[in-house]
Every structure is written in C-alpha cells, then in structure tokens.
Amino acid sequence: MSDPIASDPTAPWLIVGLGNPGPEYAANRHNVGFMVADLLAERMGGRFKSHKARAQVVEGRVGPPGPGNRRVVLAKPMSFMNLSGGPVTALRDFYKVGTANIVAVHDELDIDYGALRLKLGGGDNGHNGLKSMTKSLGPDYHRVRFGIGRPPGRMQVADFVLRDFSSAERKELGYLVDRAADAVEALVIEGLERAQSAYNS
C-alpha cells in the first residue's frame, strides 16, 4: 500500500502536538506532544505565535533544501486536551491540509516508556485528545505515539498522565523527545513505511 501522502508536494503537513495549555501542565506526561512540537519549532528556527484557531503555530519547512523538503505547520492547540478537535479542524481548513497530511503527536499508555509507534488511522484507546480529533476529522490521520507506560499499582490513569515524568524518566526524556522529533520528520519526508521501519519499537 502506498503512503497516503498528498500527490502535490507543495501541500503542507499539519503536525499537532497534543497537550494542555498552562505552566502547571508543562512537564506532565500528557504534554509530551507539546515537548516534541517545541523541539521541532526550535529545529526550524521558528517561534510559536497565536493563531485565530485557538492554537499556537509555527510555519516552516523540514528536510534538506530542494525538492525533498516539506512545508509544515506545527501546532499546539490552546484548548484543553479533550477539545483538541476544534482547533485542529480550524487549522486544517485555514491551511487547506488533507486529513492524511495531519500528524498527531501524543502520549500512549499501552506502550513502554520511551518506545515509539507510528501509524495511520485507528482508534483513540481512551485518549481524550485523539477522541476529540477523530470526532472532528474522522480517524484517517497519522499518529506518532510516545510510550509513557501504565500507571503503577492502583493509581488512576487521569492522575498518572497529569503528573510530571519521574526523576528516573527525566534522565532519558531529552533523548527520547529528540528521537520522536526525528520520527515526525522522517514520516513527513520519507513516508510512513520507511519511518515505521526506522522508529517503531
């Protein structure tokens, strides 16, 4: 099956880091999508600016100079996680992005800490950000899933995802966020299958 990349190489990609706005959430496990988006913006040499779609955005390119690079819009919805679909839909319409050119970067409970899985489509697995996006867009967008593991003991999922990464996890977090940003770039530049074979674990 060929990768569902728009045949028009000038069509932009919309890369959405999922998280909750506000400093009290910034280091939470649930905000790893924002962390990856921040790093991608840094690599692009851009700064997030407010957009009327209730999101922070950076426009730029990823990839080597020339025909191999891609136009991208990086976005961090400024709604809360469970309302992410509204801003993403507004950005899709504003930038005229096909659904197959949308990438959600998000935390994933059912994957070990730090492991990555890239996929196209699928369910939301109880993730409120994906649930909201799927309700607005349908399921046929890409996902870069960043494993955070399951909560220990009897801790509730909601408490676990809204806590900061542990001190042991933080030792590796910078490297893992860097790798996730690499995976997003590979997905956009090289297509899903190549990115999966390089980064899925």
Side-chain angles (χ1 to χ4, degrees):
M1 189 178 80
S2 63
D3 289 330
I5 295 172
S7 54
D8 177 5
T10 64
W13 282 74
L14 175 58
I15 299 165
V16 182
L18 291 179
N20 285 309
E24 68 272 33
Y25 299 105
N28 289 180
R29 292 181 177 93
H30 222 19
N31 269 45
V32 75
F34 274 17
M35 297 174 198
V36 175
D38 286 339
L39 179 57
L40 286 166
E42 198 179 301
R43 289 181 179 184
M44 285 162 49
R47 285 195 177 170
F48 280 99
K49 294 179 180 165
S50 293
H51 191 279
K52 63 183 180 182
R54 285 185 306 144
Q56 298 273 324
V57 302
V58 176
E59 297 179 48
R61 290 184 174 270
V62 297
N69 71 15
R70 296 279 185 268
R71 273 179 69 208
V72 299
V73 178
L74 284 175
K76 297 192 295 186
M78 291 290 109
S79 60
F80 280 90
M81 181 72 89
N82 60 346
L83 299 172
S84 301
V88 175
T89 303
L91 290 169
R92 175 200 66 185
D93 295 346
F94 182 85
Y95 289 103
K96 300 178 172 56
V97 178
T99 304
N101 276 33
I102 297 174
V103 183
V105 186
H106 64 92
D107 58 303
E108 178 61 62
L109 286 160
D110 284 341
I111 302 174
D112 290 341
Y113 173 64
L116 295 175
R117 300 269 171 80
L118 284 67
K119 64 184 279 196
L120 173 67
D124 57 57
N125 204 21
H127 191 289
N128 287 332
L130 296 182
K131 199 176 286 184
S132 179
M133 281 184 62
T134 297
K135 188 176 176 187
S136 297
L137 303 168
D140 299 325
Y141 53 90
H142 287 86
R143 299 101 190 277
V144 174
R145 304 155 77 203
F146 185 109
I148 60 170
R150 301 293 303 183
R154 297 186 176 182
M155 186 188 290
Q156 294 294 314
V157 165
D159 293 335
F160 180 69
V161 299
L162 292 175
R163 286 196 183 175
D164 292 359
F165 286 100
S166 69
S167 56
E169 288 169 336
R170 283 198 296 273
K171 287 175 184 169
E172 288 185 280
L173 186 60
Y175 163 76
L176 296 169
V177 167
D178 194 66
R179 189 167 180 270
D182 290 346
V184 173
E185 291 181 346
L187 168 61
V188 169
I189 297 163
E190 300 175 29
L192 178 62
E193 288 175 17
R194 282 193 181 183
Q196 283 175 324
S197 61
Y199 291 98
N200 274 16
S201 51

